[in-house]
Amino acid sequence: MLSQTEENYLKAIYSIGLHTGKSVSTNNIAEELDTKASSVTDMIKKLSEKKLVDYKKYQGTNLTSKGKQIAVKIVRKHRLWEVFLVNNLNYAWDEVHDLAEQLEHIKSDTLINKLEEFLEFPTHDPHGDPIPDKEGNIEHHKNVMLSSIEENNTCKVLGVKDSSSAFLKFLDSKKITLGSSIKVISKEEFDNSITIEINNELFSISHLISKNLFVKKI
Amino acid sequence: MLSQTEENYLKAIYSIGLHTGKSVSTNNIAEELDTKASSVTDMIKKLSEKKLVDYKKYQGTNLTSKGKQIAVKIVRKHRLWEVFLVNNLNYAWDEVHDLAEQLEHIKSDTLINKLEEFLEFPTHDPHGDPIPDKEGNIEHHKNVMLSSIEENNTCKVLGVKDSSSAFLKFLDSKKITLGSSIKVISKEEFDNSITIEINNELFSISHLISKNLFVKKI
DNA sequence: TAAAATATTTAGATAAGTCTAAAAAATATA
DNA sequence: TATATTTTTTAGACTTATCTAAATATTTTA
Ligand SMILES: [Mn+2]
Ligand SMILES: [Mn+2]
Ligand SMILES: [Mn+2]
Ligand SMILES: [Mn+2]
């Protein structure tokens, strides 16, 4: 049985690896988990002995398939709990992450499958992130950002890349939610800000915003 | 913020104290938590420094009001989670205790209140145990056991004293559930077994069974 | 390609929670 | 009430996860 700490390391290595593709560096993990590099080295050695990561000194870390399987399972739990909190307990989408960080460590083979059934097999969490199935299969975003949509095209919001409370509350204030239709009216070359139309209203959003919204052209 | 271990000690002291009334002994706590007396002494000292228990060497332990408040809150969380697991996730009443032992340690001021609302403010858990309210008020059982009911009286099952899986499964097999009406037909002096009528069926149950069922005369 | 900067690992320390074995106190027994 | 038994505490050690400071390896820069 893994400790919460070990699970958090596996999840961190998984999510860093998803973005970068390459081996995951000690410093990256330390930053992700808000700890020191020396602590990371210690834990990596332990995970390596348990065959959950491949590790060679100074060469970075990769999850083994066993390690990846565990990491994905934790992601699955995290996202299903987030769905429960938003859909059934009336939490807002910016309030659930920290709670899910706790709930994802509840140990039970049956619980998460029963929860999934209770939630009627959702495919995405409240932030638009895909929920892995029982077998660990996961359909990743196509990574089309609002910032890449051309003028006069309309798209639908599928998810957020940054799911910080600050960003989510900003979206709330602009009435941008998952499923919103957004038409790109014009793009400003100078600062990459764009003018968009949503619910028949026009306004301008910065590049920082548009590059953090996953969308699909329609 | 208390650790899970500290919370478990407080809960153990609380539940031992409920039964006995007196100061709680080091050995009792050790037995309840399946640990050694020396470990208990160490932890008691720590809890005493935090003003969560009153402790004098060799004199046993009592919860302070602050300690009791925390213990009751954990009981509240435990029982509300049990209701969720049985009512919404279709767990059987003998399957939920260990999961609730984990879930009761989730830290959140809002979560348990939202859960309570979602569950529509249940007053008792799946084993008939009363659920403390937000303020920590709790209505304890009147402690009337089936074994104390006289012949030819009918009563209603309110709860179980022993909530081990073995006992609960036995009750399942006899179709005894919370709310069941039981008529005491006859009592056997020799071994204190009794013959009861339930759902128009007669059968005999041992003293061990009848003294573990909370009932109310009707 | 050698020096400088950065990244990573090692060494040694600390805190929480646990254990065994031994000492001390309280309680039971004779 | 003296002795035996039981309970509780203390002493010292171990594990996990963390840290700081120092050493070592890798990468960048000139
Ligand atoms: Mn999250
Ligand atoms: Mn999410
Ligand atoms: Mn329980
Ligand atoms: Mn219960």
Side-chain angles (χ1 to χ4, degrees):
Chain A
M1 186 117 313
L2 297 182
S3 69
Q4 287 202 189
T5 310
E6 290 171 313
E7 290 189 345
N8 283 333
Y9 271 87
L10 292 178
K11 194 171 58 129
I13 297 164
Y14 173 75
S15 77
I16 298 167
L18 266 190
H19 299 313
T20 63
K22 296 175 248 173
S23 279
V24 175
S25 79
T26 302
N27 266 358
N28 277 173
I29 299 171
E31 192 184 13
E32 175 82 11
L33 294 174
D34 197 24
T35 186
K36 302 293 171 182
S38 54
S39 304
V40 173
T41 302
D42 285 346
M43 179 58 84
I44 291 299
K45 283 179 181 169
K46 191 175 156 195
L47 294 174
S48 178
E49 268 167 34
K50 293 189 178 187
K51 309 278 187 209
L52 298 172
V53 302
D54 289 323
Y55 166 68
K56 273 193 220 112
K57 269 192 199 177
Y58 295 101
Q59 302 309 127
T61 302
N62 290 284
L63 292 176
T64 62
S65 69
K66 196 173 154 205
K68 187 180 167 189
Q69 192 186 307
I70 294 169
V72 170
K73 197 166 154 185
I74 300 165
V75 168
R76 171 173 156 82
K77 293 199 273 182
H78 183 105
R79 293 179 181 168
L80 282 167
W81 278 116
E82 284 189 343
V83 172
F84 172 69
L85 295 173
V86 168
N87 288 8
N88 301 96
L89 299 195
N90 283 108
Y91 276 99
W93 67 341
D94 64 295
E95 300 173 320
V96 295
H97 181 76
D98 290 350
L99 258 173
E101 289 288 310
Q102 294 186 61
L103 288 161
E104 73 190 7
H105 298 294
I106 300 291
K107 258 86 169 176
S108 165
D109 286 337
T110 55
L111 175 59
I112 205 63
N113 295 332
K114 281 176 177 279
L115 182 65
E116 183 184 34
E117 193 183 341
F118 170 76
L119 298 171
E120 295 174 334
F121 300 94
T123 57
H124 295 80
D125 83 359
H127 314 104
D129 292 315
I131 297 174
D133 69 16
K134 245 189 276 290
E135 279 73 39
N137 305 304
I138 178 169
E139 269 186 48
H140 293 287
H141 280 304
K142 294 260 162 46
N143 278 20
V144 179
M145 313 317 294
L146 175 56
S147 52
S148 72
I149 301 296
E150 298 304 316
E151 286 182 7
N152 290 315
N153 283 305
T154 302
C155 59
K156 206 169 84 172
V157 177
L158 294 184
V160 295
K161 190 169 182 184
D162 170 10
S163 56
S164 70
S165 183
F167 183 55
L168 297 176
K169 279 181 168 154
F170 170 84
L171 296 179
D172 282 342
S173 76
K174 297 296 185 188
K175 302 270 194 315
I176 299 174
T177 63
L178 298 195
S180 288
S181 277
I182 294 181
K183 183 173 181 186
V184 177
I185 304 298
S186 63
K187 307 183 78 160
E188 182 60 59
E189 257 189 57
F190 175 66
D191 63 355
N192 287 309
S193 69
I194 60 177
T195 299
I196 61 173
E197 181 186 323
I198 177 170
N199 303 324
N200 297 316
E201 275 186 73
L202 290 188
F203 53 88
S204 167
I205 60 177
S206 69
H207 187 56
L208 185 61
I209 305 298
S210 65
K211 76 176 185 198
N212 273 297
L213 283 171
F214 291 114
V215 298
K216 188 177 79 176
K217 245 193 265 187
I218 49 177
Chain B
M1 186 118 311
L2 296 183
S3 69
Q4 287 201 188
T5 308
E6 290 170 314
E7 291 189 343
N8 283 334
Y9 271 88
L10 293 177
K11 194 170 58 129
I13 297 164
Y14 174 74
S15 76
I16 297 167
L18 265 190
H19 299 313
T20 64
K22 298 175 246 173
S23 278
V24 176
S25 79
T26 302
N27 266 358
N28 278 171
I29 299 171
E31 191 183 13
E32 175 83 11
L33 293 175
D34 197 25
T35 186
K36 301 293 169 180
S38 55
S39 305
V40 174
T41 301
D42 284 347
M43 179 58 84
I44 291 299
K45 283 179 181 168
K46 192 175 154 196
L47 294 174
S48 177
E49 268 168 35
K50 294 189 178 185
K51 309 277 188 210
L52 299 172
V53 302
D54 289 323
Y55 165 69
K56 273 193 220 110
K57 270 194 201 177
Y58 295 101
Q59 302 309 126
T61 303
N62 290 285
L63 292 177
T64 62
S65 69
K66 196 173 154 206
K68 186 180 167 186
Q69 192 185 310
I70 294 171
V72 170
K73 197 166 156 186
I74 300 166
V75 168
R76 170 173 156 83
K77 293 199 272 182
H78 183 104
R79 293 179 182 168
L80 283 168
W81 278 116
E82 284 190 343
V83 172
F84 172 68
L85 295 173
V86 167
N87 288 9
N88 300 97
L89 299 195
N90 284 110
Y91 275 100
W93 66 342
D94 64 296
E95 299 173 320
V96 295
H97 182 76
D98 291 349
L99 258 172
E101 288 289 308
Q102 294 185 61
L103 288 161
E104 72 190 7
H105 299 292
I106 299 292
K107 258 88 170 174
S108 166
D109 286 336
T110 55
L111 175 60
I112 205 64
N113 295 333
K114 280 175 176 277
L115 182 65
E116 182 184 34
E117 193 184 341
F118 170 76
L119 297 172
E120 295 174 331
F121 300 93
T123 57
H124 295 80
D125 83 358
H127 313 104
D129 291 316
I131 297 174
D133 70 17
K134 246 189 276 292
E135 279 73 40
N137 306 304
I138 178 167
E139 270 188 47
H140 293 286
H141 280 304
K142 296 258 161 46
N143 277 18
V144 179
M145 312 318 294
L146 176 56
S147 52
S148 73
I149 301 297
E150 298 305 314
E151 286 183 8
N152 290 315
N153 284 305
T154 301
C155 59
K156 206 169 83 171
V157 177
L158 293 185
V160 294
K161 190 169 183 186
D162 170 9
S163 56
S164 69
S165 183
F167 183 55
L168 298 176
K169 279 182 167 154
F170 169 83
L171 296 178
D172 282 341
S173 76
K174 298 294 185 189
K175 302 268 193 311
I176 300 174
T177 63
L178 298 194
S180 289
S181 277
I182 294 181
K183 183 172 181 186
V184 177
I185 304 298
S186 63
K187 307 182 79 160
E188 182 59 60
E189 259 189 57
F190 175 65
D191 63 355
N192 288 310
S193 68
I194 60 176
T195 299
I196 60 173
E197 181 185 324
I198 178 169
N199 303 323
N200 299 314
E201 275 185 74
L202 291 188
F203 52 89
S204 167
I205 60 176
S206 69
H207 188 56
L208 186 62
I209 305 299
S210 64
K211 77 177 184 199
N212 273 297
L213 283 171
F214 291 113
V215 297
K216 189 177 77 177
K217 244 194 262 189
I218 50 177

